[in-house]
Amino acid sequence: MEKWLKSCGAQGLDKLELADFPVMGRGVKTLKPFKQGETILSIPSDVLWTVDHAYADTLLGPVLRSVQPPLSTEDILATYLLFVRSREGDWMYDGLQSHLAALPTSYSSSIFFTEDELKICSGSSLYTVTKQLDEQILEQDYRALVIRLLASHPELFLLDKFTIDDYKWALCTVWSRSMDFVLPDGKMIRLLAPFADMVNHSSEVKQCHAYDAQSGNLSILAGKNYKAGDQVFINYGPIPNNRLLRLYGFVIPDNPHDSYDLVLQTHPLAPLFEEKQKLWSKAGLEAASTITLSLKDPLPKDVLRYLRIQRLGEADIGVLKLKKRDAADEQVSRANELEILQFLVDSFTGMLDSFGIPLDKLEEQLAQGVYPVGSNSWAAAHVSLGEQRILNLARKRAQYLLSVVEGGKDGDEQGSSTTLAACAYCGKSSTQLMVCGRCKSAAYCGRACQVAHYKNGHKAACQAAVASKTGVK
């Protein structure tokens, strides 16, 4: 592959080499020092896997262009990969095939997990999405590809080279190795860059891969200072473990970017739906809203705003419509607030109860090494751990707000999700709270709660908060 890339104009390959690293597996190693911001690698446009290049292929292109409506970007790239792989002995594809030969023959993304491995994270969003993906790929996407393209051109697509397993491999290759860029005209381009796609992710480096829309070349810059022998990294962005495992096949223990997407929706036939829809729109929400819960903000204000509107009675709606600003930012009425907070406590409890392995038991199993480090079961356990920690923090927050309303307390704390007026772990209000010395965003009634909270999610949130303030990971 490297010889072919050099002949096509790739720059920087003499200063790098592929190597195997503990836990992370195959990656790219430096052979010389680099300073942050220095160009490490440049891959020319002609060798990139893109939709335009698939359409330009003399054999595959006309067939792809004939499919209407067009295939998705994922399916075009997956088909392109499998088509090139199937052209054994065809010198036209020797270069691209050398790249394919360097790719993994199997992946560790969640769609390849056994049922026992996946069950470890049952109750998580990853478990649900993976089950849906398995069914969608098998029952819908692959079947549609066969009908719309593969079966219509048997001279190009030998079905024993385009099986469902081949298709899943190609999809995972696209998911885990492609890069997305926004072009100057606002359009998106997705591409796979040979050799550059071997560079692994680290949140400790700055964003350091770039696409030049004018030349079409892909460049990797040094995201930090490197010594000779160091592994090179790029930064995929702030991605939670549930998405990392589904798309890329790995997780980051104590990932500070872990999150849980809470889906809130209301049926159009529900009473007063049209009036509530106007209020949601005024609040920047929709009737079907997905709100991200995170370690840093486990119960965002948008959740309260949505539910306050959803549970409004006719009299309350009339009053709110007269207010110019978004009235859902604050308590509408005591009865309304009690209803939504109790609903949240019950809902979060139900979500936590749905997990196959409870949080405390999962933490104990990971500490005891029940799941081998780096294994699929270990990765699934970390996804479950991250989501349960967030839901547990969200429930504690809802419980505290509920106790505030039940106690008849006033003040900003009733609508806030960031107040330091109560212990961040147990929810108890106190006149003397000790504030976290690092992030200053959490307070505790005592040392025991501070230590317990740190172990149960605040560690990652604290690191994220400090990083966001200082710019340092």
Side-chain angles (χ1 to χ4, degrees), residues 87-100:
R87 305 297 295 182
E88 297 175 8
D90 190 333
W91 63 269
M92 290 177 55
Y93 300 100
D94 283 351
L96 289 173
Q97 286 179 352
S98 70
H99 175 221
L100 293 177

Side-chain angles (χ1 to χ4, degrees), residues 275 278-279 282 312 314-328:
E275 297 298 324
K278 293 175 184 177
L279 292 172
K282 186 178 177 181
L312 286 174
E314 190 168 1
D316 290 328
I317 288 181
V319 173
L320 290 187
K321 287 170 66 176
L322 297 176
K323 296 187 177 182
K324 292 183 179 181
R325 63 189 183 89
D326 178 17

Side-chain angles (χ1 to χ4, degrees), residues 351-365:
M351 292 177 194
L352 286 164
D353 288 345
S354 72
F355 281 81
I357 306 175
L359 179 59
D360 53 352
K361 183 176 180 181
L362 198 60
E363 289 176 326
E364 183 181 338
Q365 289 178 338

